[in-house]
Amino acid sequence: MSAAESATAIHRNQVDLLDFIDWSGVECLNQSSSHPLPNALKQGYREDEGLNLESDADEQLLIYIPFTQVIKLHSIVVVGSEEDGPKTVKLFANREHMGFSNVSDFPPSDTAVLSQDNLKGKPVVVKYVKFQNVRSLTIFIEDNQSGSEITKVQKIALYGSTVETTDMKGLKKIEDH
């Protein structure tokens, strides 16, 4: 799949939500200290094929991404290798303080089983209706393609739009007649 085909899968009015991530609140459980989340999520790092996010104790990763404003999530791109790339990815909208002990207690907003095309950059379009007013996104990578102990993620990109907020100062009070 060419980059042009991949880009067309993302609607014109959807943008990379990178600029709206609240980096001070981003967390990743079970990441390798030598291969942390910024390798897959930050601009410049995620384009470098030599850098990736790797799991540590087992294949699972739990990523929490808060946003600086409310967004609508349209699609997610998760790039990884054919062997060690993520397989089952569960997405949770507005679910804070999740850990491995309670992640199975909540139904995911959406679940994707990544294909080889997805791992090469084809976006996964989410159930848009479930991601309309998103303040934070939790990504649970449950397993990987080969069932090995280490999951490797080269790139994570989120596409969507910001929710336009009403400017209350711009509204004029209606006078009683």
Side-chain angles (χ1 to χ4, degrees), residues 72-134:
K72 293 180 181 185
L73 184 66
H74 173 269
S75 55
I76 180 171
V77 171
V78 180
V79 176
S81 73
E82 291 180 22
E83 301 82 35
D84 304 321
K87 184 176 182 183
T88 308
V89 178
K90 295 182 177 179
L91 304 173
F92 300 85
N94 304 322
R95 184 69 69 181
E96 297 180 10
H97 309 298
M98 292 183 78
F100 290 110
S101 61
N102 70 354
V103 72
S104 58
D105 295 348
F106 304 102
S109 305
D110 203 356
T111 301
V113 177
L114 302 183
S115 67
Q116 294 302 320
D117 284 343
N118 293 137
L119 291 173
K120 291 179 181 136
K122 181 182 178 189
V124 174
V125 178
V126 300
K127 293 176 185 164
Y128 197 52
V129 68
K130 299 221 178 189
F131 296 94
Q132 289 296 300
N133 289 295
V134 180

Side-chain angles (χ1 to χ4, degrees):
M1 179 177 202
S2 72
E5 289 172 38
S6 178
T8 57
I10 297 165
H11 289 301
R12 288 184 297 273
N13 59 342
Q14 308 303 325
V15 298
D16 186 336
L17 296 170
L18 192 71
D19 292 339
F20 304 104
I21 293 175
D22 178 2
W23 292 101
S24 65
V26 172
E27 293 177 8
C28 182
L29 301 182
N30 195 37
Q31 66 184 336
S32 162
S33 57
S34 57
H35 299 280
L37 178 62
N39 286 357
L41 196 58
K42 283 202 166 177
Q43 189 75 42
Y45 293 84
R46 66 184 187 183
E47 284 73 33
D48 185 335
E49 290 184 21
L51 294 175
N52 53 39
L53 162 64
E54 288 185 16
S55 62
D56 191 21
D58 61 21
E59 75 281 8
Q60 296 186 333
L61 288 160
L62 191 59
I63 303 164
Y64 174 72
I65 303 172
F67 298 100
T68 56
Q69 58 183 282
V70 179
I71 59 106
K72 293 180 181 185
L73 184 66
H74 173 269
S75 55
I76 180 171
V77 171
V78 180
V79 176
S81 73
E82 291 180 22
E83 301 82 35
D84 304 321
K87 184 176 182 183
T88 308
V89 178
K90 295 182 177 179
L91 304 173
F92 300 85
N94 304 322
R95 184 69 69 181
E96 297 180 10
H97 309 298
M98 292 183 78
F100 290 110
S101 61
N102 70 354
V103 72
S104 58
D105 295 348
F106 304 102
S109 305
D110 203 356
T111 301
V113 177
L114 302 183
S115 67
Q116 294 302 320
D117 284 343
N118 293 137
L119 291 173
K120 291 179 181 136
K122 181 182 178 189
V124 174
V125 178
V126 300
K127 293 176 185 164
Y128 197 52
V129 68
K130 299 221 178 189
F131 296 94
Q132 289 296 300
N133 289 295
V134 180
R135 291 175 300 286
S136 68
L137 180 69
T138 301
I139 302 169
F140 176 45
I141 297 174
E142 193 168 40
D143 53 16
N144 59 38
Q145 297 290 326
S146 65
S148 64
E149 284 294 299
I150 296 176
T151 298
K152 296 179 182 177
V153 183
Q154 193 233 310
K155 176 180 181 176
I156 296 173
L158 306 171
Y159 293 94
S161 58
T162 57
V163 174
E164 302 300 323
T165 54
T166 305
D167 180 7
M168 299 309 281
K169 290 179 273 194
L171 297 176
K172 293 185 173 120
K173 185 178 178 191
I174 298 172
E175 298 294 324
D176 291 331
H177 290 284

